Amino acid sequence: MSRPVFVLGAGAHPWGKWPDKPQLQLAIEALEAALQDAALGWRDVQGLVAASSRFEGGMGWGLHANEVVQAIAEQGMACVNVGGACAAGAIATHTAYSMIASGELDVVAVLGAERMPKGFIPRPPGSAEDISDHDYLRWVAIGATNPAYWAIEATRRSHAYGTTDETYAQAAVMMRRNAAGNSLARFRELTSVDQVLASPMVSDPLRLLEICPVSDGAAALILCSEEFANRSSKTPVRVAGCAVATGQFGDPARRIPSSSSNVLPGVSHTSEVALAVQRAMKMAGVRHQDIDCLEMADNTAWHLLEWPEIFGFFAPGECDEMLLAGKLGLDGELPLNPSGGFLSFGEATTAQAVLQICELTWQLRGEASGHQVPDAKIGMSAVLGLGANGGSVVLSSQ
Amino acid sequence: MTIAPTAVAEGLFEVVDGFAHLIGSRCSGCGTCYFPQALSCRHPACHNKFIQPVRLPRTGTLISFTVQRYRPPSLFRMDDWQPYAIGLIALGDGLEVMGMLDGVQLDSIQIGIEVTLLAAPLFREGDGREVLTYKFAPREAA
């Protein structure tokens, strides 16, 4: 049997570049904010699940939860560190959810905190330099950067559905418009289609302002059992669905860092995320039309158009007109990334999926001042990580 | 004395009688072909996973592309760097391969054209040895 799990607290450190704050400090500030939001203290926390980063902290072993408790709460709590690259935050949430749903613990914190290296992300130490290492091959043989992979998808979309450069630009403009009212976002200045189109071409057809940069940031959640949630004065936000998945054979996605795909008919694009979304929706018992806002990984403007279709919100190719008709805005049919998304935050890899769930919590409580979706009751997150990791969470205030 | 050119990674492709071939793996259990060479077949419906090296088809159809407008990190070596196209090529039986495009105008690449594999120089080592990668070129130009 499993029992209901609630989000009691959400907290985040603003996204940006924070050269004077170590990753551990970002982590602690986000956790303290989440605890304050939950009106709990460290003494109440029975477990901490952290998304493991490979960039900073974690003693070289991804022990980010252990590092936090050794710094601030040496009280014997259960620490779990999970890998999942850019999806690690969602997987950490899933782990914490399970620890409470199983009846094992009542209060578990979730953490994703990241300081990203400057410039290109370096290869992990000890990586092979031969054909067994796909990341090595994509660099030496093809010179394929991450934006090149997404751009190949975008070219394909333009060819299939006639998506224009202006439509991609409009998607980026919408993210800035949402972020303008979100004090946690790093890029909050409004842009215009002309400004986006005037930004340098990176990988045709994607331009600089249509591709997310990297940032430093941290986000944390306090999950709890119903007993604890009932003591809170906040609007109760329930974890209605929570799922992780990996990719399916035959998926047509050009998956970083591979050089090829084996494509089979009938297999979803970005199947790891599509599967996680399907599972989370099924678990929550919600239909597409029930979802009031979607927070999803927009590494590029292409993602904003393609992913809602992959998840089944719209027919293939339909998202362009939805966007242009304003139906993806804060007061639209499917508000998309009310936070401003990766395009306005910059990706702080392991922290990003935790931030998505924080954002949904604030939306469902009606606390997302400046970027609130009117009357939001059910929200869904979706994220993708290296290694074909997908994660999705459905929150409900009903 | 001329030093013979080498491939940018051993086992990625080979040039035989002047013709370049990508080297992949074929599963004798289910017939799936992989690129580059794989450790195992990963088809979930295949229960007889036995793979062998295979030369992949030399021609295919361009199904998408991009132009890499800025220089990648230094792991990618290319003499006289300038923006280049990367294509996605369907080689048949569901296998889609990424590779640099050769012999195309960057502003007028057409999806749907037939392309052929070739081995082309990327850079020259200090000892004069040319290092080759695989590329795809429009069929008439190859």
Side-chain angles (χ1 to χ4, degrees):
Chain A
M1 264 316 281
S2 105
R3 58 179 185 158
V5 176
F6 292 80
V7 181
L8 192 61
H13 185 288
W15 260 231
K17 293 308 279 183
W18 310 109
D20 300 328
K21 284 191 184 181
Q23 178 271 347
L24 182 56
Q25 190 181 340
L26 294 177
I28 289 173
E29 289 187 29
L31 279 161
E32 295 269 335
L35 281 170
Q36 190 176 10
D37 187 49
L40 294 183
W42 276 107
R43 66 191 173 282
D44 302 307
V45 180
Q46 299 163 332
L48 173 60
V49 185
S52 292
S53 166
R54 75 174 178 91
F55 298 121
E56 185 177 334
M59 309 173 185
W61 291 84
L63 304 176
H64 293 77
N66 302 72
E67 229 170 19
V68 166
V69 300
Q70 289 193 331
I72 198 166
E74 214 166 15
Q75 60 197 42
M77 76 170 78
C79 279
V80 180
N81 302 280
V82 303
C86 303
I91 300 172
T93 303
H94 181 266
T95 302
Y97 168 88
S98 304
M99 291 165 90
I100 297 169
S102 68
E104 181 188 354
L105 301 177
D106 287 304
V107 179
V108 179
V110 180
L111 168 69
E114 196 79 86
R115 280 210 316 184
M116 296 297 290
K118 278 185 187 162
F120 282 103
I121 293 172
R123 279 164 41 76
S127 301
E129 299 203 336
D130 57 38
I131 61 165
S132 71
D133 188 305
H134 290 192
D135 188 46
Y136 176 73
L137 276 188
R138 61 104 167 217
W139 289 120
V140 300
I142 315 175
T145 60
N146 287 8
Y149 282 81
W150 301 317
I152 284 173
E153 303 284 11
T155 302
R156 190 104 179 102
R157 179 179 179 88
S158 297
H159 183 72
Y161 308 129
T163 303
T164 63
D165 285 13
E166 287 73 19
T167 304
Y168 286 125
Q170 189 66 53
V173 167
M174 184 180 76
M175 287 301 96
R176 285 294 184 89
R177 197 163 54 233
N178 292 355
N182 187 352
S183 58
L184 292 172
R186 177 179 173 192
F187 304 104
R188 300 177 57 198
E189 284 176 20
L190 293 172
T191 53
S192 66
V193 168
D194 287 344
Q195 280 174 311
V196 175
L197 291 177
S199 68
M201 188 67 88
V202 172
S203 291
D204 302 35
L206 298 176
R207 293 172 166 83
L208 190 63
L209 291 180
E210 296 165 344
I211 300 169
C212 82
V214 296
S215 289
D216 307 335
L221 295 161
I222 309 296
L223 302 188
C224 69
S225 61
E226 190 161 20
E227 182 194 338
F228 270 79
N230 286 341
R231 292 185 209 163
S232 171
S233 58
K234 302 256 185 189
T235 305
V237 172
R238 186 169 53 89
V239 183
C242 185
V244 296
T246 51
Q248 265 182 315
F249 185 78
D251 183 334
R254 267 46 76 168
R255 190 172 277 137
I256 298 169
S258 67
S259 305
S260 75
S261 332
N262 287 87
V263 183
L264 292 179
V267 180
S268 172
H269 198 291
T270 319
S271 54
E272 55 274 55
V273 185
L275 276 174
V277 162
Q278 269 173 33
R279 290 173 186 170
M281 286 179 66
K282 187 178 176 194
M283 180 176 163
V286 297
R287 301 159 300 173
H288 291 94
Q289 61 265 39
D290 299 328
I291 291 169
D292 300 313
C293 54
L294 173 62
E295 276 285 323
M296 49 152 267
D298 54 324
N299 294 85
T300 70
W302 168 80
H303 293 75
L304 290 164
L305 297 172
E306 191 88 2
W307 276 26
E309 297 171 5
I310 291 172
F311 302 156
F313 284 96
F314 306 113
E318 198 186 7
C319 222
D320 296 25
E321 60 183 83
M322 290 294 158
L323 171 76
L324 299 176
K327 292 183 178 176
L328 306 180
L330 291 178
D331 55 357
E333 192 176 309
L334 178 68
L336 190 53
N337 289 355
S339 69
F342 289 24
L343 288 180
S344 305
F345 274 75
E347 194 180 6
T349 54
T350 55
Q352 217 68 36
V354 181
L355 181 81
Q356 291 180 328
I357 301 162
C358 289
E359 171 67 19
L360 295 177
T361 302
W362 295 319
Q363 288 290 344
L364 269 48
R365 286 180 182 165
E367 292 176 353
S369 60
H371 60 291
Q372 179 68 47
V373 171
D375 203 28
K377 298 274 196 297
I378 297 176
M380 183 167 79
S381 73
V383 74
L384 168 72
L386 183 72
N389 277 303
S392 177
V393 171
V394 175
L395 298 186
S396 170
S397 61
Q398 289 178 327
Chain B
M1 192 186 95
T2 312
I3 309 169
T6 54
V8 71
E10 199 181 334
L12 191 62
F13 63 91
E14 59 188 350
V15 181
V16 182
D17 298 331
F19 292 103
H21 300 263
L22 291 179
I23 307 172
S25 298
R26 184 178 183 279
C27 176
S28 58
C30 67
T32 302
C33 286
Y34 298 98
F35 174 76
Q37 294 184 65
L39 281 173
S40 170
C41 176
R42 58 179 186 270
H43 197 311
C46 177
H47 301 293
N48 185 22
K49 300 175 190 296
F50 182 75
I51 55 155
Q52 288 179 302
V54 66
R55 285 182 190 162
L56 297 172
R58 299 192 59 253
T59 60
T61 307
L62 183 70
I63 54 174
S64 193
F65 65 91
T66 186
V67 178
Q68 183 67 35
R69 296 280 174 184
Y70 65 97
R71 191 166 194 163
S74 58
L75 193 58
F76 175 69
R77 294 175 64 186
M78 180 181 177
D79 288 343
D80 307 320
W81 186 86
Q82 51 185 324
Y84 52 88
I86 299 172
L88 178 70
I89 292 93
L91 292 180
D93 292 329
L95 181 59
E96 299 179 359
V97 171
M98 285 166 59
M100 294 171 75
L101 298 180
D102 201 68
V104 293
Q105 297 288 333
L106 295 186
D107 55 358
S108 61
I109 301 169
Q110 293 294 319
I111 287 177
I113 60 169
E114 296 297 302
V115 293
T116 302
L117 190 77
L118 52 86
L122 258 185
F123 60 91
R124 197 177 283 277
E125 291 283 17
D127 60 6
R129 176 170 57 92
E130 266 193 331
V131 177
L132 312 177
T133 193
Y134 70 91
K135 296 186 183 182
F136 293 91
R139 209 160 176 179
E140 58 273 25

